[in-house]
Amino acid sequence: MAYLVIVRRHDAHRAPTHTIPEKTIMPDITVKQIDELERYTGAFQKGQQFFFAGKSLGLSKLGMNALRMPPRWEHYPEHDHAADNEEELYIPLEGSGTLHVQGQTYAMHRGVLIRVGAATKRKIVPGPEGMTLLMLSDRPDSK
């Protein structure tokens, strides 16, 4: 029988004092396609598809959602997250669009990463082919 020796970090200079049997550990991994994720179906549904990605994947320390917007969709709300101090990272997966921030515009397309601070008001308008956007934050979704 094989044993795995556990050494606590603060006792690393001492000889190990106990052992536990080695166990087979299954990988902790979740793999899903976007269309397999739980979807938002409430009153704010206006032609887009909003996916609770973090919740569907079982994330506990990171917030993540996906949004599939039709071409030139105008219903993305201008908003900020100042009240909850949540910064966001936008990662376009498909298509393109434009991020509007305080009178400036920023191109959004695959390969571009955009961080937006909590107090910054933002609005996104997808381009002529629509856009699928992954949104990450430091606030995990409630389970």
Side-chain angles (χ1 to χ4, degrees):
M1 178 179 277
Y3 289 92
L4 175 66
V5 176
I6 302 297
V7 178
R8 290 176 287 177
R9 181 172 288 195
H10 67 280
D11 289 337
H13 64 281
R14 297 184 189 149
T17 59
H18 62 282
T19 59
I20 59 171
E22 184 176 344
K23 294 182 181 180
T24 302
I25 298 174
M26 298 301 292
D28 184 8
I29 185 169
T30 306
V31 178
K32 292 190 177 191
Q33 296 286 323
I34 288 178
D35 288 322
E36 297 174 320
L37 304 175
E38 179 183 341
R39 294 177 191 220
Y40 172 79
T41 58
F44 296 106
Q45 186 67 30
K46 296 181 189 294
Q48 82 283 18
Q49 295 175 319
F50 186 92
F51 303 91
F52 298 108
K55 183 177 176 184
S56 297
L57 293 169
L59 293 178
S60 62
K61 299 189 183 337
L62 179 69
M64 179 175 20
N65 294 305
L67 179 61
R68 187 177 290 143
M69 297 173 278
R72 295 185 176 85
W73 187 66
E74 298 177 0
H75 299 287
Y76 189 95
E78 181 178 46
H79 72 287
D80 63 42
H81 291 284
D84 53 9
N85 198 31
E86 176 183 8
E87 65 182 355
E88 289 183 308
L89 175 64
Y90 296 132
I91 305 170
L93 301 176
E94 298 173 332
S96 65
T98 304
L99 174 67
H100 297 269
V101 175
Q102 299 172 341
Q104 298 183 39
T105 60
Y106 301 90
M108 301 179 79
H109 53 83
R110 189 174 175 174
V112 173
L113 307 176
I114 301 174
R115 184 201 66 84
V116 181
T120 302
K121 286 198 179 292
R122 79 285 315 249
K123 180 175 176 65
I124 295 171
V125 178
E129 68 279 4
M131 182 167 56
T132 300
L133 184 64
L134 186 65
M135 302 168 289
L136 303 175
S137 78
D138 58 348
R139 296 181 53 89
D141 299 321
S142 57
K143 302 285 181 208

